[in-house]
Amino acid sequence: MKRRRVESSAIRSIGYDSDLAILEIEFTSGDVYRYHAVPSSVHRALMDAESKGRHFVAHVRDVYPTVRVT
C-alpha cells in the first residue's frame, strides 16, 4: 500500500486501499497501524489539511478494528 506523506506533529504518512477499506497510518514515532473497514470518506477527511491528527484521534482510534504492523 502506497502511503502519502503528511505534515503533522503526530502522523508521518497515510495510505488507503479502497478495495479492502484499509487505512494505514505511520506515526512520527515509527509505529504503523492498519485500520480495517474504514469508509473512504474517513480517509478523505483525514487527508484534509484542517483535520490531520485531530480527525484521527476523534474518528478513527477505538472505532475501527486495528492491527499494529510495526
Side-chain angles (χ1 to χ4, degrees), residues 5 8 19 21 31 43 45 49 62 65:
R5 291 190 63 79
S8 171
D19 293 332
D31 295 329
H43 172 247
D62 300 327

Side-chain angles (χ1 to χ4, degrees), residues 33-63:
Y33 288 85
R34 285 189 182 148
Y35 297 83
H36 298 268
V38 178
S40 60
S41 59
V42 172
H43 172 247
R44 285 192 304 271
L46 184 58
M47 291 306 299
D48 180 4
E50 296 283 322
S51 66
K52 287 179 191 137
R54 185 176 67 245
H55 186 275
F56 169 75
V57 171
H59 297 287
V60 179
R61 184 180 292 165
D62 300 327
V63 175

